[in-house]
Amino acid sequence: MTGEGARPRPLVAGNWKMNGRRSAIAEAKAVADALAARETPPRADILVCPPATLVMVMAEILKDAPLAIGAQDCHWVESGAHTGDLSAEILADAGASAIIVGHSERRAYHDETDLLVKSKQQAVHRAGLTAIVCIGETKGQRLAGQTIDVVVRQLERSLCDATTPENTVVAYEPVWAIGTGLTPTNADVADVHAAIRDRLVARFGEAGHAIRILYGGSVKPQNAKELMAVANVDGALVGGASLKAADFLGIIAAYE
Ligand code: PEP
């Protein structure tokens, strides 16, 4: 899809973080069953990113479901002496179709830099998967009026030159909105997403219009429709509210 005005197909992605034992598979199955039972499918792609231990089993159980399985992080090399790490290729082999990279929790608690995030994005591409690249400002940066500068700088440095609408999704997640119940105003979301879109188009040309830009940070069934209607918001990256089928379906309902 190209051209200004043509909106990319939205994506609603759930990030389970370090939550979810085997019993949680039932929640994803309930989402898949509810979607499959509908006469009209939602106008969005649906993705669930469980802990790595569940990727293979969920990809198998849900292989015919209208819902894809992704992973939450990867190493940047393909294989080797990296105890405890998982490469994009290993996750692809397990059945992941997308991998989140550069989540603010990885940036904050694992000191991940934009350069490292870019290496991970390239690793995801090397494995033939879609990278969901997260960017977003802290509360301090927002209060200091640095939001657009910070977000555009992260975008510029975290994306590689081979970025396309097929291999990459950008997720704007204000750090202060993640898991807090706080959200920016719709006008603030619109401003940041417009700045991201402008930068994507400046760097990648026409393809920049088709790269999906998700909003993430306390998206709930109650605010999803409003947030998803904001210009240049092409879906959501959802943490807490993706853990329960009813809540996640309530968010997906924004695309009915
Ligand atoms: C996230 O972790 O990506 C996220 C958006 O979390 P929450 O929806 O819980 O704010």
Side-chain angles (χ1 to χ4, degrees):
M1 182 182 300
T2 54
E4 204 174 354
R7 288 188 84 161
R9 182 172 164 81
L11 168 67
V12 180
N15 171 17
W16 284 9
K17 311 192 189 194
M18 201 167 71
N19 300 294
R21 313 288 195 267
R22 265 185 281 206
S23 58
I25 297 171
E27 297 295 328
K29 181 105 182 28
V31 172
D33 290 347
L35 295 177
R38 293 167 53 137
E39 273 177 29
T40 1
R43 294 174 292 104
D45 294 330
I46 313 298
L47 176 76
V48 172
C49 301
T53 47
L54 294 181
V55 167
M56 187 152 82
V57 64
M58 286 178 61
E60 279 171 11
I61 291 174
L62 297 166
K63 64 176 182 301
D64 298 320
L67 176 162
I69 299 301
Q72 300 173 16
D73 181 48
C74 66
H75 198 278
W76 60 95
V77 305
E78 187 177 340
S79 59
H82 296 280
T83 303
D85 282 317
L86 293 169
S87 69
E89 283 78 1
I90 287 175
L91 292 163
D93 184 53
S97 62
I99 305 179
I100 300 169
V101 295
H103 191 282
S104 65
E105 288 151 16
R106 301 290 315 173
R107 291 177 185 262
Y109 308 139
H110 297 265
D111 295 325
E112 295 198 1
T113 61
D114 292 329
L115 195 61
L116 183 81
V117 173
K118 180 160 76 175
S119 303
K120 291 186 173 194
Q121 182 210 20
Q122 290 171 310
V124 177
H125 296 171
R126 188 186 62 220
L129 307 186
T130 299
I132 301 178
V133 180
C134 303
I135 53 177
E137 83 286 0
T138 62
K139 188 170 184 186
Q141 289 164 335
R142 174 161 285 267
L143 292 175
Q146 299 167 344
T147 299
I148 301 283
D149 286 351
V150 167
V151 167
V152 168
R153 189 169 63 238
Q154 285 182 341
L155 182 77
E156 191 59 28
R157 294 181 182 171
S158 303
L159 293 189
C160 69
D161 290 338
T163 295
T164 70
E166 289 73 36
N167 68 24
T168 301
V169 172
V170 173
Y172 167 56
E173 299 205 302
V175 179
W176 52 272
I178 295 178
T180 59
L182 302 172
T183 50
T185 64
N186 292 346
D188 286 340
V189 173
D191 284 350
V192 179
H193 279 240
I196 294 172
R197 178 70 69 211
D198 285 352
R199 192 58 219 138
L200 290 174
V201 172
R203 183 164 171 195
F204 302 110
E206 195 64 9
H209 288 295
I211 296 173
R212 294 185 275 198
I213 309 171
L214 311 186
Y215 168 77
S218 296
V219 179
K220 310 273 179 238
Q222 297 79 352
N223 61 17
K225 199 163 183 146
E226 213 185 312
L227 283 164
M228 298 305 105
V230 173
N232 290 303
V233 173
D234 307 311
L237 182 53
V238 185
S242 68
L243 292 167
K244 289 271 162 262
D247 290 343
F248 198 43
L249 284 165
I251 290 169
I252 294 167
Y255 290 106
E256 268 169 7

